[in-house]
Amino acid sequence: MTQLDDLYKEIILDHYRRPRNKGALPVPPAHRGHGLNPLCGDEVTVDVLVEDGRVTDVAFEGRGCAISQASASMMCELVKGRAVEDVAAEFDRFRSMLGVDDAATATGTAYEAGAEPGRQLGDAEALQGVKDFPSRIKCATLSWNTLTGAIAGEAEFSETDT
Ligand code: ZN
């Protein structure tokens, strides 16, 4: 393992053990999305408050593997306070980092491998090693897909749908 791999592993475990923005928001006004990844048994509930086109608050609850729960925690940190269209661009960049979905190339949000760690996706960059484990990619994208659905007013998301 390289030093960077060790650092990434530490960051993932830290978010898993001490999740950021864990909890629930009053619904309404927040929107709630519930997501399942039956492939791994992961589950997340994401509450998101959107005001004036901006994510002013976000919280999650969940259970499942370290990748799924750490990813939800990292996502909440990253999207809080951001405009809804920026959140969509961050998700494109995140998928691009994991080697899935080329939408990012078209929208100019592709992840730049080798950039200074933390510059592009914050702690979520620690999940980039997941791209080498295709069966785990849906663990990492579950919370993002659930958030995207919740913002759009869709209450249920399942990774088998994609
Ligand atoms: Zn998982």
Side-chain angles (χ1 to χ4, degrees):
M1 268 203 154
T2 66
Q3 249 179 326
L4 196 58
D5 286 337
D6 284 343
L7 171 68
Y8 286 159
K9 202 172 147 192
E10 263 322 296
I11 295 170
I12 293 166
L13 288 176
D14 185 56
H15 275 271
Y16 178 55
R17 291 176 183 141
R18 297 190 306 116
R20 282 45 146 192
N21 300 287
K22 188 136 191 186
L25 302 177
V27 178
H31 289 219
R32 176 164 295 165
H34 178 241
L36 281 175
N37 175 22
L39 301 166
C40 182
D42 307 318
E43 189 171 0
V44 291
T45 298
V46 179
D47 291 350
V48 59
L49 184 64
V50 178
E51 294 169 311
D52 299 328
R54 193 166 287 277
V55 172
T56 50
D57 207 358
V58 61
F60 85 100
E61 308 245 32
R63 56 192 172 150
C65 71
I67 290 172
S68 68
Q69 303 305 306
S71 182
S73 170
M74 293 162 171
M75 175 191 77
C76 288
E77 269 198 338
L78 194 60
V79 305
K80 205 168 180 174
R82 306 289 298 274
V84 166
E85 60 262 31
D86 290 345
V87 172
E90 293 292 6
F91 188 22
D92 282 346
R93 185 173 289 120
F94 185 69
R95 279 188 296 221
S96 159
M97 181 183 79
L98 297 176
V100 289
D101 199 321
D102 283 335
T105 314
T107 53
T109 50
Y111 181 75
E112 268 177 70
E116 198 178 313
R119 286 281 307 275
Q120 299 183 77
L121 286 166
D123 282 358
E125 288 180 29
L127 292 167
Q128 59 186 263
V130 172
K131 70 174 181 295
D132 298 325
F133 302 91
S135 65
R136 310 304 299 280
I137 288 172
K138 288 182 174 182
C139 302
T141 56
L142 174 66
S143 54
W144 284 90
N145 278 315
T146 305
L147 171 74
T148 303
I151 290 173
E154 292 155 18
E156 293 291 332
F157 174 81
S158 174
E159 282 289 354
T160 52
D161 293 340
T162 57

